[in-house]
Amino acid sequence: MARAQGLGKRYIKAFFKGFFVAVPITVTFLDRVACVARVEGASMQPSLNPGGRQTSDVVLLNQWSIRNYDVQRGDIVSLV
């Protein structure tokens, strides 16, 4: 029984170590490189949400190219 409690503590400790390493890396990635966004409504039709569907499309916002001024004609730019 004591051995099982020791294993449980070890797993919890490993989980929190991994959690405290993964969260800052994930936040930095989503802030600096790319993030996922949902496009809703008819404002971007027919490029996104074609055919008048009421569902939403999911897009990847590439923030890296904006930081390098690598925007070309035909790109869709999102402003917050």
Side-chain angles (χ1 to χ4, degrees):
M1 185 71 172
R3 185 177 180 139
Q5 288 179 349
L7 281 175
K9 285 184 180 182
R10 184 181 304 162
Y11 286 128
I12 291 173
K13 190 175 181 181
F15 171 78
F16 280 114
K17 280 184 179 180
F19 180 80
F20 287 123
V21 170
V23 169
I25 291 172
T26 303
V27 169
T28 302
F29 179 81
L30 293 175
D31 189 41
R32 298 289 180 180
V33 179
C35 65
V36 178
R38 186 184 330 205
V39 178
E40 298 175 339
S43 65
M44 291 299 296
Q45 285 178 346
S47 296
L48 300 172
N49 296 335
R53 296 181 297 157
Q54 295 300 322
T55 60
S56 60
D57 284 344
V58 177
V59 295
L60 179 69
L61 300 176
N62 183 356
Q63 297 174 354
W64 193 264
S65 63
I66 297 297
R67 292 187 191 281
N68 295 331
Y69 301 106
D70 188 23
V71 180
Q72 301 171 357
R73 184 176 185 164
D75 288 349
I76 298 173
V77 179
S78 172
L79 301 175
V80 178

